[in-house]
Amino acid sequence: MHNAILALRQRELALSTKPFAARGGKVKRCQRCLLPVPDCMCAHTPAPMADAAFLFLMAKGECYKPSNTGRLIADVVKTNFAFTWQRLEPQQALLDLLNDARYAPIIIFPHEYAEPARCIHNLDSVPDSRTPLFIMLDGTWREARRMFRKSEYLQHLPVLGVRPVAQSDYLLREAAHDYQLCTAEVGVEVLKLAGDTASADALTRYFKVFRRSYLKGKPHLTDKNEQAENGLM
């Protein structure tokens, strides 16, 4: 499967010893886009186009969540990988990927949480012979910070910070700070830094379709969505 997050979800479900149950678990969903069947957005799925590679380290259970937007990035980029985060016993396939000479692993995370020596502001240091491998720590903000601090196998990698120019339009989860973006919005900014404006624009359009489709089933968020789309938020 091209989308590594959806493939991870299938693997996790296959290994589960009991049925997956969560809020909204009784809703009949499309198994591709994870939205309610009447709001399926699969017809809008773009063809993969971005050449940069993305690696998603996902908090336990994150791959199940219909609100997760990392999978939107995985639909847009040609090369993507996903693993459930393990603090002490990371999968060998993950370690092999981080040491693969074809890639230049870079963690995407705010610079204020990293040692200055690890912080980079652009991709000038990436050799032309290597493909940037952007590592997204995918989960709640608390989970992402824990992954960043507690993953010994990531501590030697450079950190690329993303500074948004506008407040997040996500609306589907509460952010701890106004400047925080959802995973797909971060992906847009990363693709811009990589010089791939076409893929960034494609992901932006795809994210807007997702947000609109998702919010159809969330009446309590409809007013916020309309305000955001009218530029009032």
Side-chain angles (χ1 to χ4, degrees):
M1 180 182 289
H2 166 74
N3 190 310
I5 293 178
L6 293 179
L8 175 63
R9 179 176 182 271
Q10 289 185 355
R11 294 196 302 272
E12 292 287 328
L13 287 172
L15 293 173
S16 178
T17 57
K18 57 184 179 180
F20 174 67
R23 186 173 57 185
K26 294 182 179 180
V27 176
K28 186 175 182 181
R29 298 182 180 277
C30 169
Q31 292 305 299
R32 177 61 177 75
C33 69
L34 305 185
L35 295 180
V37 170
D39 304 320
C40 174
M41 57 175 276
C42 290
H44 299 277
T45 303
M49 57 189 300
D51 289 324
F54 279 74
L55 163 60
F56 301 90
L57 271 184
M58 310 195 75
K60 184 175 179 59
E62 183 66 28
C63 65
Y64 296 129
K65 297 178 181 178
S67 59
N68 175 270
T69 63
R71 68 181 188 278
L72 305 182
I73 302 174
D75 275 336
V76 172
V77 302
K78 297 176 183 177
T79 304
N80 58 94
F81 309 89
F83 298 89
T84 299
W85 179 70
Q86 301 287 343
R87 176 185 176 186
L88 299 177
E89 298 182 355
Q91 300 93 322
Q92 188 59 47
L94 168 61
L95 299 179
D96 291 344
L97 180 61
L98 295 176
N99 290 297
D100 192 321
R102 294 174 296 175
Y103 299 111
I106 300 168
I107 301 175
I108 307 302
F109 211 72
H111 277 170
E112 53 262 43
Y113 296 93
E115 299 87 350
R118 296 177 64 193
C119 296
I120 62 174
H121 301 275
N122 52 54
L123 303 180
D124 291 348
S125 60
V126 178
D128 293 338
S129 60
R130 304 179 73 185
T131 300
L133 177 65
F134 298 116
I135 302 172
M136 311 289 280
L137 306 179
D138 205 356
T140 65
W141 178 236
R142 177 180 294 181
E143 290 168 337
R145 283 187 298 171
R146 185 166 185 262
M147 286 189 274
F148 185 76
R149 295 195 315 267
K150 301 293 186 179
S151 306
E152 289 296 329
Y153 48 92
L154 300 180
Q155 298 307 308
H156 65 292
L157 298 177
V159 179
L160 177 64
V162 171
R163 283 287 184 181
V165 296
Q167 186 174 337
S168 172
D169 281 340
Y170 186 40
L171 304 180
L172 311 187
R173 300 185 198 170
E174 292 294 333
H177 303 286
D178 287 343
Y179 62 78
Q180 288 174 1
L181 305 178
C182 74
T183 305
E185 291 173 315
V186 172
V188 169
E189 299 304 317
V190 170
L191 289 170
K192 288 178 181 177
L193 286 173
D196 192 345
T197 55
S199 296
D201 290 344
L203 180 55
T204 298
R205 292 191 297 270
Y206 191 34
F207 170 67
K208 288 181 177 179
V209 171
F210 166 78
R211 187 185 62 188
R212 185 165 55 248
S213 298
Y214 187 95
L215 288 173
K216 286 181 181 178
K218 303 289 181 180
H220 63 290
L221 293 175
T222 299
D223 290 342
K224 282 188 177 183
N225 181 54
E226 291 176 351
Q227 291 180 44
E229 292 192 343
N230 291 327
L232 301 178
M233 293 183 67

